[in-house]
Structures are given as C-alpha cells and as structure tokens.
Amino acid sequence: MSRCLYSQEEALFLNPDLLGGKAANLAWLSREGLPMPRWWVVTTDVFTQLLRDNGLSEMVAEALAGIGPDTEPAAIEPIAVRIQQQVLKARLSGELLQAIGELVKGREEQFFAVRSSVLGEDAQGASFAGQMDSYLFQRGRADIGASLLQVAASAFNARALQYRIAKGIALDDIRAAVIIQEMIEGEVSGVMFTAHPLNGSRRHALISAAWGVGEGIVAGICNTDEFTVSLFDNTIERQLADKDQAVVFDRDAGRGTKEIHLDGEQRHIACLSDTHILSLRDIGLKIATLQHFPQDIEWAIRQDQVYILQTRPVTRLPEPKEPVGRRIVFDNSNIQESYCGVTTPLTFSFANRAYATVYEQTMRVLGVSDKGIAAHRDMLDNMLGLVHGRVYYNINNWYRGLLLLPAFKTNKADMERMMGLTDPVDLVQDREFSFGEKLLRLPQVLRALFNLLRGFRQMGQRVTEFRALFENAYRSIDRDHLHTRTPGELIDEARRLDRELLQRWTSPIINDFYVMMMNGKVHRTLVEAGFTEPAVLQNNLLSGEDGIESTEPTKMLLRMCAYIRTQPTLRTLVETGDNHSLLARIQVHDANFHTQCLDYIERYGDRTIGELKLESVTLRQDTAFLFAVLKNYLTRDDLTPETLASKEAQFRDSAEEEAFTAIRTKLGNRALTIFKKNLDKLRDAIRNRENMRLARTRVFGLYRDLFLEIGSQFAFSGLLDDKRDIFYLSVDELYAMQDGRAVQLSLKAMVAGRKAEFAEYQKADLPHHFWTHGMVYYQNSYRYPFEVEAEPTGNELKGTGCYPGIVEEKIRLIFSPDDELSLNGQILCTVRTDPGWAPLFPTAGGILVERGSTLSHSAVVARELGIPAIVGIPGITQRLRDGEKVRMDGAKGTIVRLESSDQ
C-alpha cells in the first residue's frame, strides 16, 4: 500500500493530525475490536499536497484571509463557491489514483462510502455534524476518485466555513483526510446518543431509527422511531413515527441513494426489536465507558448484525429535566432583611464563618459532644448559601440542627413562622423513632432540654453579661488610629474579635430559641381562641414595649429635631443645606448640635440600610443619610417621642382587651393566666433580641472599619485599584495572605473578574425560595417550585398585616439611600428592610414590604412606632408605580389600587 492510502490496521500507528477527527475515532473503534465495516484513509498531508500540486494553496489562503468573525454569510458564499470550483478541477496524483486502483482491485462489485475527516472534526465541542459532504454507494476507481475530490472540496463549503467562525476555529489551517469505508446497505439505520439529548439524562440513551440507510436521518428526510433506553436496566420507552419515507440504494442508477415512499404496515411498526435496542445500548455503553464521555454514534443493521459506522463525543446536553442528586432547599424570606440584594464575597464569607462559629458554640452550650459537633461540621459550615450573589438559608441544615432538640415537629413549625417560611418544606418530617433510636437519642435530647431551660431561666443574667462582654471588646478597638496599624496587625485584631466575641456569641442564639418557642406558644393559644388572623393580633400585642434599642435611634433623632425647632437659623441651614456638607457647616454654626450629631454617629453610626453588609456605606463614611432623615422629620411637627408612645400604648391596650376577653371566654381563666405569662416572656425575649442585635450591628461596624483600612493600605501600595475593592475578596483569602496560604496574589485581576460577575447578578432577581439538586452551581435553574399560572390581575394585593390602620396615600418606592427619601405621610414601599431603615419610618404614612415576616425587623419597628404595616406582598414593587395612590389596611393585610389596575 502506498503512502497516500492507509488501511485501518496501518492507521492505528499514524499521528492523529494525519487522520483527521473522524478517522482517528474509527482507528480507536478498530483498536477496541468493535463491530464496524472495514475502512481506509487518505491522509491530510495528501490533501495539502493536492492543493500545492495544483497551484491552489496561495489562492485558498488569500480567499480565506478575506473572511472574519464579522463577515456576513452572504459574503462568504461566493468565496466558498470559488474555492470549491477550483478544488473540483484539481487533478489527483498518479500515486493516489494507483492506490485507489489497488484498493478496488478484486472488489469491483463492492460499494464504498466516501466521507470527510477534517482535522478537528468529531471533537469535543466541535462535531462538524453535517457540515461536509459524504458520498454513499460509490464503486470503482473513477467514482471513488471523483467522490474524494468532492469530499475534499466540501471542506470549504459556506456552511463549514460559517461553522468554523461560530466555533472560533481558525480558517488558515483547513486540512482534510478522506475515509473510504465498505458500504453497509442498512435495513435499519440510525443515530444513538448514550446520554439523552432531550432531557439531559446521562443514565439513558436515545436511539433514533428509520428504514434504509442513515442518510435519511442525518439529512432530516425520514421520520424516525425513537427509543429511550436505560443504560443500567432494560426499561425501554417507545415513540413510533409514521415512517412514510426511506433512503435506499439507487439500484436504477447503480450508485448513490434515492428516496422512496413506504406503504402499508412497515410505516407504522417499530423498525427495531427489543433485542436490537438492547444490543445497540450495550455497544453504545461500552464505547462511552471506554471513552469516559457520552457518545454520538451512527449505526446500521443488516441481517441482524449491528455495525458502528462512526462515533464522536456528544457536544452539548440540556439541563436534566429529572433532577438528580441531593435536594437542598434555599429560602431567604427572613435573612434577606439583613443581606438584601447582591452581597459581596467579603460579607458572605464573613457571615458564613460567623454562623459556623456561633452555632458551634451554641451546640456546646446544649451539651453536644466534640464527636457530635464533628459529625455536624458540614452542617455548621453550610448554614448559609450564596446564589447569584444573594444570601439564603440552607433550610436542610437548619432542620438538621433542630433534630438535636426535643419536639421537632413543634420546633419546626415555630422556626418556620419566625423565619417567614411560607412554602411547604417536606424534606424533613417529624418521624417516629424506634425504641432503640429513642434510647440512643435520649441522653442528647435530655442534655439539650436541660441546658435550654437553664439558659432561658438565666436569660436576664446572660444578657447583662453578654452586653458587658461586648462593650469591653468593642472599646478595645481604637477606631481613630487604625491607619497607624499594618494590614497584618489589622488581621490580628479581626481574629481577636473572632475569639473574644464571635466564639462567645451564645446568649443571642439561646435567646433566639426563646423567641421562637414563646412566639409559637402565643400563636397557638390565639389560634385555639378562634382568631382567624392571629398574626395581626399578635403583632399588636407586641407593640409599645419600652427599652427596645432598635427604636432608640429614631427617638434620639426626634429629640435632635426638637432642638432644631428651637433654633430658627439652624433649622434653615438643615432644611436648605446640602446633606453631604452639612456636618462641616454645622460644626462652624452650632457647636452644641454638632456634638449631638457626633454623639449620634458614635452610638448609631453603624446602623444603616444594609447594615450587616460590610460594603454598605454608613454614617461613619458619609453623614448625608442622617440629614436626609432629619429633613424628613422636620416636615412633621406632630412627630415627637410622646406622640409615638401614646399611639403604641393605644394599640397595645386594644389588642390586649380583645385577646384576653376571647381567651377567657373560650379557654378559661387558667389558660389566660398562662397566656399572659407567655406573652410577657415573649416581650422580654424580643426586647433582648433587638438590644443584642444592635450589638451585632456595632461589631459588624468594627470589622467593616478594619477591612476598609486594609483595603485603603492595599490600594495605597498598588495591590488594589480602590480601597472598596477589598469587599470582593473573602475573609479566608485575607487570613491566608496573613498566614502564607494564599493561592493567588494577582488581586486586581481577581477583583475585576468578581466585580464583573457580581454586576451581572444585579441585573436579575432570584425567587425567595427554590430547590437545587446535586451540585448547587451546576445545571440548576433556581426557579420557584410552586409557581402557578398567574390569575387574572385585579386591583387588590395581599400580604401579612403587621400593624393595623387604614391609610389612603401615594406610594413612594425606595430601594436605597440614593433614592428620593422624602415621605411626608406617603406610604413607604420597598423590597426588604433591615433596622437601618427605621429612621425613615416615622414620616411614612404606612409601610409595605415585599419580603419579610411578622417577626422581621420592619414589623417590630413598625409596631413600636405605631405605623400601619404589611409585609410579604409578592411582586408589589413590580406591580405598583412610584406615586400611585393606594389604600392599605394593616389589619387585613390588603392593598387596593385606587388609580389603575395592572397594565
């Protein structure tokens, strides 16, 4: 055999660049001994020599140089036609013609298929399927020689060139080998994908089959039967077609193929038996297993013998329709108040570490052993999730934590109520344990119960000790002189806070359990008393509580406004001055009020919108928000601490009379006594929670200042472009830089990539609740699982009422401190809130929040300020327009649009 043409045995030893993609795959099939027709290959160097010998190399190169990524398809066509015409005029070398003659000698009656094998064809990510031409049922040297030229020319057809451009494959190195393969006149032929191309399953193959040869399927001429077959059992699903056309050997012409019409039974019966289907499946699975990759296989069957004609990697699969892998439930109904919108890597990594640290210490308080904590390490490290930049609770792991406590079913319902979970979660149920399991669990359950009850009894003392602990740690950080410390020293300070505060943050968590349980008891009693809207009444019962620090910033601002009103010149300055420069002007104009401002900033300067997001700009960085709020308050002379307290007391007294009367009447005096005790305990617990959450806000402020100073010094030394770029690194990455564990030090490039990625996340929101299966970030769509077709829209929206009162006013949509903040009695409407929003509330006529629960910060503060409020109103910020007039009923949780319905 000459150097031009190689047998399949010889091809096994050739460089793949000489074979092209398809022939290289055929060589692999041959080596593995798979059933296939015998074949030969004309190598790519013969193709290159063909162009050179016929003076076409320079012409082809010049013509292709005129095609670029932006070239229109209409402009490519004439270039392709000109190249193909010249290639078809080329003369095959005598050596090649002689080699073809030797091949067909003694095989004069044998038909062959002549196929392309372009370099890069049938590769992963670039199948070139159908881009080049194949010629079937060719016989004799002349026909095979002519087909060889036609196949070679097809490497330059317009669709092949456009395919290369689309795939980013260069046009300056087109080299084609040509396969000459014994022709199998298939009775049935088709294509098999060893991973399902329609539903994405890698555990099922899809076999498409038709009567005749495979050209009818590849060219889309024939209708096909489709068989979905499991790779690991013999389950087969059939979808039979009306196979009215077939492509067969053109016996009249003596070469090539023709289309024929099928009549009768053959059109409607399956063209493959179960035996054939399973035989194909087994061969396909063997090929895919050996290749370690799903395969796209062409095959034919003649006289019950299966022949593999070619194989190539599957280039694309859809996301699986049937989920595979462990289901995780993510929900942010509650946590979005603290981490609203897109959150930076530094904030998430800090919060995730904090949750792991705090809950590990809580488990120790509950009496969980070191071995038990080690068994729950994956749970502790994954209390939170970050999806498209948004923070979610990993609900699976919160339920796993509850299993450490007694009365899982009751605690589960209480936790869901406190977290604002409104969607069914059935992945963990209150199961009946066997006697042996109960015995194994009993020591831990008893320890947890004992320690919880002891913690509840000691809560007053624990809160006092915690606040003292916090103040000592807080005062130990010299915020005014952070610029004198090195980044290493600043990291050391952050780690000291980790040890002294985060690792001793158990009292707030024990109190959160107390809130959860007491809230559940109060709720269940109201339900037993017959209240159909227990959440609304419960909210009113919780209003008017003294000593809650979450409302103290508002009260202090009102006192500051009272002072401003006594100073006409100062009032004019505040009302007319630029918010960003007012503090400096006040320093010159009124030293007393300047001191009040500084005192407020020192006390509450970390309390701002998005206060637990380290990237949020607080009053310590920009005081403009302080003066925007003061201007708001100055428009309402009726806003005083006394009027707010009076309104709160009125609602609380009314709610108590309603609740106490109903409970006494329906459940009796003993039940009322117990209810009052539980209500007092809940009020105390909520007051403690809100007060300790201010400590959380302030400690986040300390970490924010530490990290910002590191960012400032990194920017100064050229490691970052801007100090705020520090928020696009993670805590672990910063600590690793301190320890010598960092795996990447090109911070600018890393930050640039993350900033671009997170900017994309800003463009589309995610639902508050979704499931993932398997790997969270792979082939999951993050869709809301209970979505139903939208009902005809009307003029009424519904949420959860948090504080009663009917308000008929215009809507003011506010999403960030940069929006217009003037309210003056209008209804504040937003997606979510945190305590930093509280200073805006007093001038709002009402509050509407798209996300949130009855125990969310917005609900607590609205109750304290006596402002009608509704939370949990799906899609309200998309449906309502800024300035649109509505009527809200805080008791019923309804919003009626007064001007127009949905457009």
Side-chain angles (χ1 to χ4, degrees):
M1 193 66 70
S2 72
R3 287 173 48 85
C4 299
L5 190 65
Y6 294 85
S7 70
Q8 63 185 43
E9 291 83 7
E10 293 169 319
L12 298 178
F13 300 97
L14 295 180
N15 188 308
D17 283 355
L18 293 174
L19 296 175
K22 194 186 303 296
N25 288 337
L26 289 180
W28 179 87
L29 289 169
S30 298
R31 184 170 66 250
E32 296 297 336
L34 289 152
M36 56 187 300
R38 187 165 181 77
W39 61 279
W40 296 260
V41 61
V42 178
T43 52
T44 58
D45 58 346
V46 175
F47 173 84
T48 302
Q49 189 64 41
L50 173 71
L51 297 182
R52 187 180 299 120
D53 289 348
N54 286 272
L56 299 178
S57 299
E58 291 185 7
M59 183 277 294
V60 169
E62 290 175 4
L64 294 178
I67 301 176
D70 299 325
T71 305
E72 293 291 330
I76 295 176
E77 183 68 34
I79 297 173
V81 169
R82 181 159 64 92
I83 296 174
Q84 289 180 92
Q85 287 174 342
Q86 295 303 311
V87 173
L88 289 173
K89 293 177 183 178
R91 294 173 59 86
L92 299 178
S93 68
E95 186 180 22
L96 178 56
L97 289 172
Q98 181 181 353
I100 296 172
E102 292 176 6
L103 167 62
V104 300
K105 186 176 181 180
R107 298 185 177 90
E108 286 78 5
E109 300 304 314
Q110 172 71 54
F111 286 99
F112 295 88
V114 184
R115 307 176 186 273
S116 67
S117 182
V118 173
L119 195 64
E121 184 179 6
D122 285 1
Q124 288 187 24
S127 68
F128 281 86
Q131 304 306 313
M132 277 77 76
D133 298 333
S134 296
Y135 293 87
L136 308 184
F137 294 101
Q138 303 299 305
R139 183 168 58 182
R141 190 181 77 167
D143 285 352
I144 293 173
S147 297
L148 190 149
L149 272 179
Q150 290 171 313
V151 169
S154 73
F156 300 103
N157 68 41
R159 65 178 182 273
L161 297 179
Q162 291 170 23
Y163 182 87
R164 284 178 174 272
I165 292 170
K167 288 288 185 179
I169 301 172
L171 300 181
D172 58 0
D173 188 27
I174 298 177
R175 287 181 282 162
V178 179
I179 297 166
I180 302 171
Q181 188 174 39
E182 289 182 351
M183 185 70 215
I184 300 298
E185 187 177 355
E187 298 159 354
V188 183
S189 304
V191 177
M192 170 172 53
F193 275 61
T194 64
H196 206 293
L198 301 181
N199 63 30
S201 172
R202 289 173 174 257
R203 300 174 185 178
H204 294 84
L206 178 66
I207 301 172
S208 294
W211 302 113
V213 296
E215 184 183 12
I217 297 174
V218 175
I221 297 169
C222 301
N223 296 328
T224 61
D225 290 342
E226 293 195 344
F227 306 94
T228 296
V229 55
S230 170
L231 296 182
F232 304 109
D233 61 40
N234 294 339
T235 304
I236 302 172
E237 296 178 9
R238 300 167 180 78
Q239 186 173 334
L240 303 185
D242 178 7
K243 298 173 289 297
D244 58 338
Q245 298 286 329
V247 174
V248 298
F249 172 44
D250 189 349
R251 299 188 184 280
D252 295 332
R255 60 194 293 267
T257 60
K258 67 177 181 179
E259 298 174 34
I260 62 170
H261 183 77
L262 298 177
D263 290 314
E265 184 182 9
Q266 189 177 15
R267 287 176 56 167
H268 303 290
I269 62 172
C271 57
L272 287 178
S273 66
D274 286 2
T275 300
H276 288 146
I277 292 168
L278 296 177
S279 178
L280 281 166
R281 185 276 311 272
D282 291 344
I283 294 173
L285 180 58
K286 179 179 180 179
I287 295 172
T289 300
L290 292 170
Q291 288 281 11
H292 305 290
F293 203 86
Q295 296 293 298
D296 169 2
I297 300 168
E298 293 185 22
W299 53 270
I301 296 176
R302 181 169 182 80
Q303 297 178 348
D304 285 332
Q305 172 65 50
V306 174
Y307 295 92
I308 302 302
L309 306 180
Q310 66 178 54
T311 189
R312 58 190 172 211
V314 170
T315 57
R316 185 175 294 275
L317 289 172
E319 292 183 9
K321 289 185 178 179
E322 293 295 325
V324 177
R326 180 184 58 146
R327 181 177 65 155
I328 300 177
V329 177
F330 289 99
D331 193 287
N332 72 354
S333 298
N334 177 278
I335 199 170
Q336 46 78 33
E337 294 183 351
S338 299
Y339 303 101
C340 53
V342 172
T343 297
T344 60
L346 188 65
T347 291
F348 174 75
S349 60
F350 177 79
N352 198 52
R353 284 171 56 94
Y355 269 78
T357 300
V358 167
Y359 279 94
E360 177 180 341
Q361 301 310 312
T362 303
M363 289 175 69
R364 294 188 187 280
V365 170
L366 294 178
V368 180
S369 65
D370 288 343
K371 182 178 179 182
I373 290 172
H376 286 81
R377 174 55 54 193
D378 62 325
M379 177 197 83
L380 292 167
D381 291 340
N382 294 280
M383 304 294 284
L384 304 181
L386 186 72
V387 180
H388 285 194
R390 291 166 174 82
V391 181
Y392 286 83
Y393 284 131
N394 181 325
I395 299 300
N396 301 51
N397 286 334
W398 286 87
Y399 286 166
R400 280 182 63 190
L402 281 185
L403 287 170
L404 296 170
L405 304 176
F408 171 77
K409 185 175 182 180
T410 300
N411 288 332
K412 176 175 179 286
D414 292 345
M415 186 187 76
E416 289 172 349
R417 189 176 300 109
M418 190 171 77
M419 296 174 78
L421 279 168
T422 56
D423 301 290
V425 180
D426 59 1
L427 74 163
V428 179
Q429 297 290 349
D430 188 31
R431 53 170 290 201
E432 287 294 327
F433 292 97
S434 68
F435 180 73
E437 288 173 323
K438 289 178 180 179
L439 283 179
L440 289 174
R441 293 182 73 244
L442 186 60
Q444 171 54 50
V445 168
L446 290 177
R447 281 196 302 272
L449 180 61
F450 174 79
N451 288 323
L452 262 184
L453 293 176
R454 182 176 63 178
F456 294 164
R457 286 193 302 271
Q458 299 172 347
M459 189 52 63
Q461 177 186 344
R462 293 180 69 96
V463 170
T464 300
E465 292 173 352
F466 171 79
R467 296 180 73 173
L469 169 73
F470 168 79
E471 286 298 330
N472 288 335
Y474 182 83
R475 298 298 175 192
S476 70
I477 301 292
D478 184 3
R479 291 175 109 158
D480 292 334
H481 295 98
L482 293 181
H483 66 283
T484 67
R485 312 291 293 276
T486 68
E489 290 174 321
L490 295 168
I491 291 294
D492 287 341
E493 286 289 72
R495 282 176 154 166
R496 182 172 66 81
L497 288 178
D498 292 348
R499 295 189 301 272
E500 295 182 6
L501 282 179
L502 295 187
Q503 293 181 16
R504 303 170 72 180
W505 203 274
T506 54
S507 293
I509 304 303
I510 298 297
N511 189 72
D512 281 346
F513 281 122
Y514 199 32
V515 171
M516 179 185 80
M517 294 178 179
M518 289 300 105
N519 185 69
K521 288 184 177 181
V522 169
H523 178 86
R524 286 189 287 275
T525 302
L526 292 175
V527 171
E528 291 172 9
F531 289 103
T532 57
E533 296 283 349
V536 176
L537 181 59
Q538 187 168 340
N539 291 334
N540 299 340
L541 290 168
L542 296 176
S543 64
E545 192 67 24
D546 291 330
I548 292 185
E549 287 197 31
S550 58
T551 62
E552 287 306 309
T554 299
K555 293 175 181 177
M556 185 172 179
L557 288 172
L558 289 174
R559 291 192 293 270
M560 292 167 69
C561 277
Y563 174 82
I564 294 172
R565 290 188 180 100
T566 67
Q567 308 292 324
T569 306
L570 175 61
R571 178 168 185 167
T572 301
L573 175 61
V574 171
E575 289 179 334
T576 60
D578 174 67
N579 292 338
H580 295 280
S581 61
L582 263 175
L583 186 63
R585 297 179 66 184
I586 289 170
Q587 182 179 10
V588 175
H589 178 82
D590 191 317
N592 182 10
F593 188 66
H594 181 258
T595 300
Q596 292 181 46
C597 291
L598 294 183
D599 186 30
Y600 181 88
I601 293 169
E602 173 56 29
R603 291 174 183 237
Y604 306 117
D606 300 307
R607 176 137 278 183
T608 188
I609 294 175
E611 62 188 35
L612 297 189
K613 298 173 71 171
L614 297 174
E615 64 270 19
S616 293
V617 177
T618 71
L619 295 182
R620 296 183 187 277
Q621 288 91 48
D622 185 351
T623 59
F625 182 69
L626 168 63
F627 296 107
V629 172
L630 288 173
K631 286 179 179 179
N632 247 346
Y633 288 6
L634 288 172
T635 65
R636 296 275 305 276
D637 290 338
D638 61 322
L639 271 182
T640 67
E642 292 74 25
T643 57
L644 289 180
S646 174
K647 187 181 294 185
E648 294 168 14
Q650 179 183 350
F651 277 108
R652 176 167 168 154
D653 292 345
S654 175
E656 286 183 347
E657 183 178 355
E658 181 182 2
F660 294 171
T661 300
I663 294 170
R664 183 185 298 111
T665 301
K666 189 159 186 179
L667 304 178
N669 287 325
R670 184 171 181 274
L672 177 60
T673 301
I674 295 173
F675 177 79
K676 287 181 177 180
K677 290 181 179 178
N678 289 337
L679 180 60
D680 286 341
K681 291 176 181 178
L682 176 59
R683 287 168 171 169
D684 288 343
I686 289 179
R687 181 174 57 252
N688 289 332
R689 184 188 70 173
E690 294 304 309
N691 294 345
M692 287 188 286
R693 281 185 174 177
L694 180 61
R696 181 184 65 179
T697 299
R698 296 173 73 192
V699 79
F700 267 66
L702 288 179
Y703 280 102
R704 179 185 291 112
D705 285 359
L706 290 170
F707 290 135
L708 270 174
E709 181 56 37
I710 295 171
S712 178
Q713 295 191 34
F714 278 11
F716 181 78
S717 61
L719 284 174
L720 295 174
D721 289 324
D722 183 86
K723 68 178 183 179
R724 293 185 61 80
D725 288 348
I726 197 75
F727 297 122
Y728 289 89
L729 303 178
S730 71
V731 172
D732 288 338
E733 286 166 342
L734 288 173
Y735 285 7
M737 290 182 70
Q738 172 83 336
D739 300 337
R741 297 179 288 106
V743 297
Q744 183 176 355
L745 294 177
S746 302
L747 301 187
K748 288 184 178 181
M750 183 163 60
V751 165
R754 289 179 182 175
K755 289 175 80 171
E757 181 177 345
F758 277 65
E760 287 299 310
Y761 293 152
Q762 294 277 10
K763 296 178 181 178
D765 205 354
L766 288 182
H768 70 283
H769 182 102
F770 56 81
W771 304 340
T772 63
H773 292 85
M775 185 180 288
V776 171
Y777 300 127
Y778 182 71
Q779 291 187 337
N780 279 296
S781 58
Y782 316 122
R783 287 193 295 265
Y784 180 58
F786 305 108
E787 197 157 5
V788 295
E789 290 187 18
E791 298 178 359
T793 55
N795 287 337
E796 184 170 310
L797 294 83
K798 186 77 168 66
T800 301
C802 289
Y803 201 78
I806 296 175
V807 182
E808 194 170 299
E809 254 297 349
K810 290 183 178 180
I811 289 293
R812 170 70 75 189
L813 289 172
I814 298 178
F815 301 105
S816 79
D818 299 325
D819 294 336
E820 174 56 55
L821 302 180
S822 176
L823 287 165
N824 197 23
Q826 296 179 98
I827 298 171
L828 168 61
C829 181
T830 189
V831 176
R832 50 181 74 84
T833 64
D834 60 25
W837 288 74
L840 290 177
F841 287 3
T843 56
I847 299 169
L848 302 176
V849 184
E850 187 166 313
R851 308 277 183 85
S853 69
T854 58
L855 284 182
S856 63
H857 298 292
S858 49
V860 170
V861 176
R863 284 194 298 270
E864 292 309 311
L865 300 180
I867 300 171
I870 305 172
V871 301
I873 317 155
I876 188 172
T877 56
Q878 287 79 45
R879 294 185 61 182
L880 297 188
R881 305 184 312 275
D882 190 50
E884 179 180 345
K885 194 169 186 179
V886 303
R887 181 191 301 114
M888 63 171 288
D889 186 327
K892 296 180 179 178
T894 58
I895 305 99
V896 178
R897 306 178 70 177
L898 301 179
E899 295 180 347
S900 66
S901 57
D902 289 333
Q903 302 298 314

